[in-house]
Amino acid sequence: MSEEERAFQERIDRGEKIEPTDWMPEGYRKTLIRQIGQHAHSEIVGQLPEGNWITRAPTLERKVILLAKVQDEAGHGLYLYCAAETLGVSRDELIELLHAGKMKYSSIFNYPTLTWADIGAVGWLVDGAAIMNQVPLQRTSFGPYSRAMVRICKEESFHQRQGFDIMMKMAGGTPEQHRMAQDALNRFWYPSLMMFGPSDKESVHSAQSMSWKIKINTNDELRQKFVDQTVPQAEYLGLTVPDDQLKWNQEKNGYDFSEPDWSEFFEVLKGNGPCNKERLDARIKAWEDGAWVRDGLMAHADKSTVARTAAE
Amino acid sequence: MSEEERAFQERIDRGEKIEPTDWMPEGYRKTLIRQIGQHAHSEIVGQLPEGNWITRAPTLERKVILLAKVQDEAGHGLYLYCAAETLGVSRDELIELLHAGKMKYSSIFNYPTLTWADIGAVGWLVDGAAIMNQVPLQRTSFGPYSRAMVRICKEESFHQRQGFDIMMKMAGGTPEQHRMAQDALNRFWYPSLMMFGPSDKESVHSAQSMSWKIKINTNDELRQKFVDQTVPQAEYLGLTVPDDQLKWNQEKNGYDFSEPDWSEFFEVLKGNGPCNKERLDARIKAWEDGAWVRDGLMAHADKSTVARTAAE
Amino acid sequence: MIQESDLIASDILYEWLLRRGDTALILGHRVSEWCGHAPVLEEDIALANIALDLIGQARLWLGYAGEVEDKGRGENELAFLRDAWDFRNVLLAEQPNGDFGKTLMRQFLIDAWQDALLSALKTSANERIAEIAVKAGKEVTYHLDRSSDLVIRLGDGTQESHRRMQAALDALWPYAGEMFSADAVDEAMAAAGLAPNPQTLRPGWDETVGEVFKQATLTQPQSDFAHKGGLTGRHSEHLGHLLSEMQFLQRAYPGAAW
Amino acid sequence: MIQESDLIASDILYEWLLRRGDTALILGHRVSEWCGHAPVLEEDIALANIALDLIGQARLWLGYAGEVEDKGRGENELAFLRDAWDFRNVLLAEQPNGDFGKTLMRQFLIDAWQDALLSALKTSANERIAEIAVKAGKEVTYHLDRSSDLVIRLGDGTQESHRRMQAALDALWPYAGEMFSADAVDEAMAAAGLAPNPQTLRPGWDETVGEVFKQATLTQPQSDFAHKGGLTGRHSEHLGHLLSEMQFLQRAYPGAAW
């Protein structure tokens, strides 16, 4: 480790925030760009499964709440791209990498939303898992990322409550609604567990990321915490978690539960999820269809600059 | 009148059919191309208002019947383009004239289909008026046109019965269905009367067309016949024809009725009907989107010809 | 306090309120169809926000309409359980999104009208109307600022953006006139001092849009022809398709609470 | 005469019949969306005809399914009053039309499978199934002739038509495998001699499509990955939208006769 690297690590160990203009190791920068960029992409792609039900929201109030949520998510995308930009990569570059398949977004958004209850399950489980991941990241070492996380977490926990509220209505509603709620839990349970990533034993990057405080907890810790928090909520809803092995373990003071099917996880990562192609195609189409708008705005800005300069 | 023209007129007067290879006046040819082409275009554009309800047909049987009807109409378009082609104009040329706004189609298709009852009304009133126009044209002087009309009339009268059947179900159904049926009659009554064209007094081409037997009856004769046929049907359905002036006239043995609003007719003709732009845009889009298909089929045919020639 | 019932028959008020509520609802629905597909992230945010405002306004108008109708129907019954012919939105609101330019132009034409209308309604003799107008007016003024600005920037952007904005204007212009048409409902509302006669809004609107088009280097169409029918329930073919999607859950699961 | 009830539990037969009926219905619906928008008039006619045949077949399968279910539901209740999760069509059938090439490729992949399936079903121990298979089989053989021919002509047409057909094949290939997947329902049907195990249809299908792709100069994708779920009610996001349109009238006007 070089002198600079040692000093850098000591700052992190002391709990200091690293700011964009500070010296940082290339690996730190690269890892952060990947992580923040993927997170930003997830917010953007995440609009699609929810957007699928905006036009079919069952009441005007639910429609307004869902619109506000999706708007928040686009806003999160914006903060995060800004945070990434402080590391020297532009939003457009990141978007091009996404479209070229060279950057990922959270695999959970490759699953479809098939009933209105799925909108509840996305809020309850997916946002719930996201918060579990993000709360510790408020203490991450990179200043702009940490500050973005503070804003995001506040809104996400609001979204999670709204999702749970939908689930309550559905689980306690007509038999069809209850069936939708159970079906949504059945489909989203394991994909939500996958959101924490494979067991840390498998992950090569984890140790370095943890010492850099880009990652704060292990995947398994967070997953356990999520299960422990979520199972009683499912019970409260009168829904059954689709896991025969689920059992309270007094000794570890947490639940024993089945691992998700990791081969499915890797298939989805490879592009073989139910909606991978649709999600990426939709984003690429939006980007390409919108090129004339971005060009037009740019051209107008240039003209205005020229006009202003001439007038001076 | 030249000798040829006189002989031509005598053949027509004797009731002989004119065939494509026979000598004919340029005016006869041009008028026929316009008339047959517009009729063909009407069959094609006429798919659109009915297509608007194929995906929402209320029962599978109704959906199948409507599909069969629309298929027939496309078939009629095909016969008619073929008849026009015998006069030395290609289908593609006619279609290009349509897309360029230089040829018309029946204005009735510029009205929207807003409820399922409209599908009934289109069959009952629009096909009814079309048949009224077309039955005499089975005796038109131009052979290919006359023969096309024979086939078309048989199918159209079938369509009209199906339309009336829908109206019976609707008019005799729930209050909402009855309301739909009455609303459809209200909206389609006057546009159907317009299908016969303005009073012959206004029409400069009529006299020549009638002596050529391209037109057999006057517009007013056919309109009167249509009203006399349709009013009792409306009564049978328990629907009210939207005309305060409608009254049986014993003396003329027919109904007195209000003229349609001819200023609306001319507005629609000018392009200001409710759906003119949509209908033409839809056809142009279909044509442009399909260019690669037509090109591909052509290229394959060329390759096959080359391959066959080489093999010989 | 003056009761609206002293000023006007409730069926006329109901009809008028539906025109407000349905226009906001249907336009909001159309805008919401953009979710996740905008040309740039800032526009994803702005479009979601506009949809949200509009549907919020629809809730106020339709909620009040339901009270005036007094048959136990609330905002959701009115939004989800009427078929197309009972909707009273202007035709412009239901026109399909098309490209971003068409969506933007539709928004601009309506924003400029809504802004003038709501501004006048702030002094309505009906307190509820005035209240809603104050709240909605703030939002719509912001919408108009945004859409004017974007129309100017894209009209006077590249050749391609100019071409698309001009095409959007040409296609939508025949739907503008309906916003200023007046019938017995409007006249009764105006006579009672509850709302302006829509015709009186036209000169101001002409000035607003004319100025923007000038800056945007767009040519305002000369034709006066106007498609009508939306305000009296005679819609385009598009509305039925929109409703079949919007109303699916309420239709498929009648009586459920959500 | 052997009763099907002697051979198999009615709930299994019902499930199997829904798979047939729903696949025909949903594919027929998709094809019918083309009405008036085909690239050439002859294709307008052909597409309407195929949609008509498919919906006709759906009526036979669903009508029989309703009898087997024995709860008083006929073809229309099954078509118009079930939500997406109760549909049992293969995912391939519900994929959006895309361009003409995608519609054609979807049709070809399904035609080749249906042709093989119906051909085998002609000897079903269940007379009703055999009857339907004879009637539908004739139609589907014609469909397959047409779609094979067009795939070849457009695959081996221009560069552009080749590119589009290859893109369609690449996009749809992952949906082909589901047609040959077998579960307990299929195994029970096969064991009772009522229907072939879908897996047995694969080699013949591979040969059929392989030969066509060769002539069409198209490259058959190598991947074995297959999206599944349609046959057990786990669909793509597309089906719900399709149904909201298809079912609108029956949902909005419950109990009416049409």
Side-chain angles (χ1 to χ4, degrees):
Chain A
M1 206 185 273
S2 74
E3 194 49 44
E4 274 172 322
E5 285 170 335
R6 198 183 317 271
F8 177 81
Q9 187 62 51
E10 282 168 8
R11 291 188 59 195
I12 289 182
D13 294 343
R14 281 195 301 272
E16 285 180 30
K17 291 284 180 243
I18 309 300
E19 294 301 330
T21 50
D22 297 346
W23 184 89
M24 62 185 78
E26 240 353 80
Y28 180 84
R29 183 187 303 273
K30 276 194 186 151
T31 307
L32 267 176
I33 288 176
R34 199 188 60 216
Q35 186 171 330
I36 301 175
Q38 287 186 8
H39 189 167
H41 296 331
S42 301
E43 299 282 357
I44 303 313
V45 177
Q47 294 179 92
L48 298 172
E50 295 188 310
N52 185 41
W53 282 91
I54 284 181
T55 52
R56 288 177 292 175
T59 70
L60 295 184
E61 188 182 6
R62 291 285 178 203
K63 196 189 290 268
V64 164
I65 292 172
L66 184 54
L67 274 164
K69 181 183 177 195
V70 174
Q71 189 190 0
D72 284 347
E73 281 158 2
H76 298 173
L78 208 54
Y79 309 158
L80 289 161
Y81 284 124
C82 289
E85 282 183 330
T86 67
L87 292 161
V89 60
S90 76
R91 195 206 302 182
D92 286 8
E93 284 174 89
L94 290 171
I95 288 174
E96 275 159 29
L97 288 168
L98 171 69
H99 294 175
K102 291 178 183 160
M103 281 185 83
K104 300 284 181 195
Y105 52 88
S106 178
S107 271
I108 192 76
F109 301 121
N110 291 317
Y111 290 87
T113 52
L114 298 180
T115 76
W116 174 251
D118 288 12
I119 299 303
V122 165
W124 173 38
L125 300 174
V126 175
D127 290 342
I131 294 169
M132 207 61 87
N133 271 325
Q134 289 164 8
V135 162
L137 287 176
Q138 295 179 92
R139 295 180 285 116
T140 188
S141 60
F142 186 58
Y145 191 25
S146 156
R147 291 188 288 275
M149 278 301 145
V150 171
R151 294 179 67 175
I152 290 174
C153 282
K154 212 180 308 173
E155 294 179 353
E156 289 287 9
S157 67
F158 193 58
H159 298 163
Q160 202 209 358
R161 276 202 299 280
Q162 292 168 340
F164 192 73
D165 185 58
I166 292 178
M167 291 307 285
M168 284 212 292
K169 278 278 190 196
M170 298 295 285
T174 66
E176 289 92 347
Q177 286 177 305
H178 184 88
R179 181 181 158 205
M180 285 185 203
Q182 181 63 53
D183 182 57
L185 175 56
N186 292 350
R187 283 181 288 105
F188 277 97
W189 175 255
Y190 287 109
S192 299
L193 296 189
M194 292 178 198
M195 285 178 70
F196 300 97
S199 182
D200 300 272
K201 290 165 282 185
E202 324 275 322
S203 178
V204 283
H205 300 298
S206 283
Q208 178 62 77
S209 285
M210 288 183 82
S211 76
W212 276 337
K213 293 193 187 163
I214 293 176
K215 189 176 166 85
I216 312 284
N217 302 85
T218 71
N219 296 347
D220 289 327
E221 279 167 18
L222 292 170
R223 186 165 21 244
Q224 180 70 52
K225 212 170 151 189
F226 175 76
V227 170
D228 293 344
Q229 171 186 295
T230 307
V231 169
Q233 294 171 343
E235 282 168 4
Y236 177 81
L237 291 170
L239 298 177
T240 307
V241 172
D243 180 358
D244 289 344
Q245 308 300 314
L246 189 76
K247 218 178 66 189
W248 178 255
N249 181 331
Q250 188 64 49
E251 205 171 316
K252 77 174 184 188
N253 195 31
Y255 285 93
D256 291 334
F257 58 94
S258 302
E259 284 286 305
D261 174 1
W262 291 109
S263 67
E264 177 179 322
F265 177 79
F266 289 110
E267 275 293 315
V268 175
L269 216 58
K270 247 171 59 185
N272 287 335
C275 305
N276 296 54
K277 186 167 157 50
E278 278 162 39
R279 299 291 187 238
L280 204 56
D281 284 355
R283 288 306 308 164
I284 292 172
K285 183 171 190 311
W287 190 247
E288 290 176 352
D289 287 355
W292 72 270
V293 177
R294 298 189 302 275
D295 292 346
L297 296 178
M298 198 87 81
H300 184 83
D302 290 346
K303 287 186 201 177
S304 306
T305 312
V306 172
R308 265 199 308 279
T309 313
E312 273 160 15
Chain B
M1 205 185 272
S2 74
E3 193 51 44
E4 273 172 321
E5 285 170 334
R6 197 183 318 272
F8 177 81
Q9 186 62 51
E10 282 168 6
R11 289 187 60 195
I12 288 181
D13 293 344
R14 281 196 303 271
E16 285 180 30
K17 291 284 180 246
I18 310 300
E19 293 302 330
T21 50
D22 297 346
W23 182 89
M24 62 186 77
E26 242 349 84
Y28 180 84
R29 183 187 301 274
K30 274 194 186 151
T31 307
L32 268 175
I33 287 176
R34 200 188 58 218
Q35 186 172 329
I36 301 175
Q38 287 185 8
H39 189 167
H41 295 331
S42 300
E43 299 283 357
I44 303 314
V45 177
Q47 294 179 93
L48 297 172
E50 295 187 311
N52 186 41
W53 282 91
I54 284 181
T55 53
R56 288 177 292 175
T59 69
L60 296 183
E61 187 181 7
R62 291 285 177 204
K63 197 189 289 269
V64 163
I65 292 171
L66 184 55
L67 275 165
K69 181 183 179 195
V70 174
Q71 190 190 0
D72 284 348
E73 281 158 2
H76 298 172
L78 207 54
Y79 309 157
L80 288 161
Y81 284 124
C82 289
E85 282 183 330
T86 65
L87 292 160
V89 60
S90 76
R91 195 207 300 183
D92 286 7
E93 284 174 90
L94 290 171
I95 288 174
E96 274 160 31
L97 288 168
L98 170 70
H99 293 175
K102 291 177 183 159
M103 280 185 84
K104 300 283 180 196
Y105 53 87
S106 178
S107 271
I108 191 76
F109 300 121
N110 291 317
Y111 290 87
T113 52
L114 298 180
T115 75
W116 174 250
D118 288 12
I119 299 304
V122 166
W124 173 39
L125 300 174
V126 175
D127 290 343
I131 294 168
M132 207 59 89
N133 271 324
Q134 289 164 7
V135 163
L137 287 176
Q138 295 178 93
R139 295 178 286 117
T140 189
S141 61
F142 185 59
Y145 191 25
S146 157
R147 290 188 290 275
M149 278 301 146
V150 172
R151 294 179 66 173
I152 289 174
C153 282
K154 212 181 308 172
E155 294 180 353
E156 289 287 9
S157 67
F158 193 58
H159 296 165
Q160 202 208 359
R161 276 202 300 279
Q162 292 168 340
F164 192 73
D165 185 58
I166 291 178
M167 291 308 283
M168 284 213 292
K169 278 277 189 197
M170 298 295 285
T174 66
E176 289 92 348
Q177 286 177 306
H178 185 87
R179 180 182 161 206
M180 285 184 203
Q182 181 63 54
D183 182 58
L185 175 56
N186 292 349
R187 284 182 286 105
F188 278 97
W189 175 255
Y190 287 108
S192 299
L193 296 189
M194 292 178 197
M195 286 178 70
F196 300 96
S199 182
D200 300 273
K201 292 164 281 185
E202 324 275 321
S203 178
V204 283
H205 299 298
S206 283
Q208 177 62 77
S209 284
M210 288 183 81
S211 75
W212 277 337
K213 292 193 187 163
I214 293 176
K215 189 176 166 85
I216 311 286
N217 302 85
T218 72
N219 295 347
D220 290 328
E221 280 168 17
L222 292 170
R223 186 165 21 244
Q224 180 70 52
K225 213 171 152 191
F226 175 76
V227 170
D228 292 345
Q229 172 186 294
T230 308
V231 169
Q233 293 172 344
E235 283 167 3
Y236 177 80
L237 291 171
L239 298 177
T240 307
V241 173
D243 180 358
D244 288 345
Q245 308 300 314
L246 188 76
K247 216 177 68 190
W248 179 253
N249 181 330
Q250 189 64 48
E251 205 169 317
K252 78 172 184 189
N253 196 30
Y255 285 93
D256 291 333
F257 58 93
S258 303
E259 284 286 304
D261 175 0
W262 290 109
S263 67
E264 177 180 320
F265 177 79
F266 289 110
E267 275 293 314
V268 176
L269 217 58
K270 247 173 58 186
N272 288 335
C275 305
N276 296 55
K277 187 169 157 49
E278 278 162 39
R279 299 292 187 238
L280 203 57
D281 284 355
R283 288 305 309 164
I284 292 172
K285 184 173 189 310
W287 189 248
E288 289 176 353
D289 287 354
W292 71 270
V293 177
R294 298 189 302 276
D295 293 346
L297 296 177
M298 199 87 81
H300 183 83
D302 290 346
K303 286 186 202 178
S304 305
T305 311
V306 171
R308 264 198 309 278
T309 312
E312 272 162 15
Chain C
M1 188 183 129
I2 300 168
Q3 295 288 317
E4 68 273 6
S5 52
D6 302 335
L7 300 169
I8 197 142
S10 66
D11 59 337
I12 290 182
L13 179 58
Y14 170 71
E15 192 75 12
W16 185 90
L17 289 168
L18 285 187
R19 293 177 182 183
R20 304 287 80 73
D22 289 343
T23 295
L25 175 61
I26 298 303
L27 181 63
H29 183 96
R30 280 287 186 225
V31 175
S32 82
E33 292 173 356
W34 273 96
C35 175
H37 304 89
V40 55
L41 188 48
E42 284 78 359
E43 285 306 312
D44 267 318
I45 296 174
L47 290 168
N49 188 250
I50 291 164
L52 199 159
D53 286 346
L54 288 168
I55 291 170
Q57 294 167 18
R59 296 180 68 194
L60 297 173
W61 292 120
L62 294 180
Y64 184 28
E67 290 173 39
V68 169
E69 189 197 28
D70 199 21
K71 290 184 181 166
R73 297 202 287 185
E75 59 180 53
N76 288 319
E77 286 77 12
L78 290 175
F80 295 104
L81 298 175
R82 283 179 299 152
D83 202 347
W85 51 7
D86 291 326
F87 270 75
R88 295 293 181 261
N89 57 283
V90 294
L91 295 173
L92 182 53
E94 74 201 42
Q95 296 308 300
N97 284 340
D99 67 2
F100 183 78
K102 195 169 172 194
T103 291
L104 172 62
M105 186 57 76
R106 184 186 61 199
Q107 190 69 37
F108 170 63
L109 297 174
I110 297 184
D111 286 346
W113 165 63
Q114 295 266 50
D115 192 55
L117 175 60
L118 292 168
S119 172
L121 291 175
K122 286 175 195 165
T123 57
S124 171
N126 177 309
E127 271 187 35
R128 280 289 283 284
I129 293 177
E131 257 172 46
I132 297 174
V134 169
K135 185 186 177 309
K138 274 183 214 140
E139 294 166 352
V140 167
T141 300
Y142 158 75
H143 298 172
L144 178 59
D145 283 351
R146 169 192 167 271
S147 59
S148 306
D149 178 56
L150 278 175
V151 166
I152 292 169
R153 287 156 73 194
L154 291 175
D156 184 23
T158 59
Q159 268 198 333
E160 173 69 0
S161 73
H162 178 85
R163 185 189 66 74
R164 285 179 183 254
M165 294 312 296
Q166 185 67 53
L169 175 54
D170 294 343
L172 295 176
W173 188 254
Y175 295 94
E178 189 187 16
M179 298 188 288
F180 307 99
S181 64
D183 64 6
V185 169
D186 298 297
E187 280 156 18
M189 289 290 290
L194 300 187
N197 183 314
Q199 293 171 334
T200 63
L201 302 173
R202 182 82 198 226
W205 184 85
D206 276 334
E207 208 170 309
T208 306
V209 304
E211 179 55 31
V212 168
F213 293 150
K214 214 175 87 187
Q215 289 187 52
T217 72
L218 294 173
T219 308
Q220 184 169 323
Q222 288 312 303
S223 164
D224 273 347
F225 169 72
H227 289 292
K228 285 176 190 161
L231 293 169
T232 52
R234 195 177 284 200
H235 290 276
S236 68
E237 288 176 356
H238 305 294
L239 186 61
H241 294 279
L242 183 158
L243 295 183
S244 72
E245 170 145 340
M246 185 175 98
Q247 300 181 334
F248 179 74
L249 283 178
Q250 289 273 358
R251 300 283 194 188
Y253 300 95
W258 303 90
Chain D
M1 185 184 132
I2 300 168
Q3 296 289 317
E4 70 272 5
S5 51
D6 301 335
L7 299 170
I8 197 142
S10 67
D11 59 335
I12 290 182
L13 179 58
Y14 171 71
E15 193 74 13
W16 185 90
L17 289 168
L18 285 187
R19 294 176 181 183
R20 303 288 79 74
D22 289 344
T23 295
L25 175 61
I26 298 302
L27 182 62
H29 183 95
R30 280 288 187 224
V31 175
S32 81
E33 292 172 355
W34 273 96
C35 176
H37 303 91
V40 57
L41 188 48
E42 285 78 359
E43 285 306 311
D44 267 318
I45 298 173
L47 290 168
N49 189 250
I50 291 165
L52 199 160
D53 286 346
L54 287 168
I55 291 170
Q57 293 167 19
R59 296 180 67 195
L60 298 173
W61 293 120
L62 293 180
Y64 184 28
E67 291 173 38
V68 169
E69 189 197 27
D70 199 21
K71 292 184 179 166
R73 297 201 288 183
E75 59 182 53
N76 288 319
E77 286 77 12
L78 290 175
F80 295 103
L81 298 175
R82 282 179 299 151
D83 202 347
W85 53 7
D86 291 327
F87 271 74
R88 295 294 181 260
N89 58 282
V90 293
L91 296 173
L92 182 53
E94 74 200 43
Q95 295 308 301
N97 284 340
D99 67 2
F100 183 78
K102 196 169 171 193
T103 291
L104 172 62
M105 186 57 75
R106 183 186 61 198
Q107 191 69 37
F108 171 62
L109 297 174
I110 296 184
D111 286 346
W113 165 63
Q114 295 266 52
D115 192 56
L117 175 61
L118 291 168
S119 171
L121 290 176
K122 286 175 195 164
T123 57
S124 170
N126 177 309
E127 272 186 33
R128 279 288 284 283
I129 293 177
E131 259 171 45
I132 298 173
V134 169
K135 185 185 179 309
K138 275 182 214 141
E139 295 165 351
V140 167
T141 299
Y142 158 75
H143 299 173
L144 177 59
D145 283 350
R146 169 192 168 272
S147 60
S148 306
D149 178 55
L150 278 175
V151 166
I152 291 169
R153 288 156 71 195
L154 291 174
D156 184 25
T158 59
Q159 268 199 331
E160 172 69 0
S161 73
H162 178 85
R163 184 188 67 74
R164 284 178 184 256
M165 294 312 295
Q166 185 68 52
L169 175 54
D170 294 344
L172 295 175
W173 187 254
Y175 295 93
E178 189 187 14
M179 298 188 287
F180 307 99
S181 64
D183 64 5
V185 169
D186 298 297
E187 279 155 20
M189 289 291 290
L194 301 186
N197 184 315
Q199 294 170 334
T200 63
L201 303 172
R202 182 83 198 226
W205 184 85
D206 276 334
E207 207 171 309
T208 307
V209 303
E211 178 55 31
V212 167
F213 292 149
K214 214 175 89 188
Q215 288 187 52
T217 71
L218 294 173
T219 308
Q220 184 169 323
Q222 288 312 304
S223 163
D224 273 348
F225 168 73
H227 289 292
K228 285 176 190 161
L231 294 168
T232 51
R234 195 177 284 201
H235 291 277
S236 68
E237 288 175 357
H238 305 295
L239 186 61
H241 294 279
L242 183 157
L243 294 183
S244 73
E245 171 145 341
M246 184 175 99
Q247 299 181 334
F248 178 75
L249 283 178
Q250 289 273 358
R251 300 283 195 188
Y253 300 96
W258 303 91

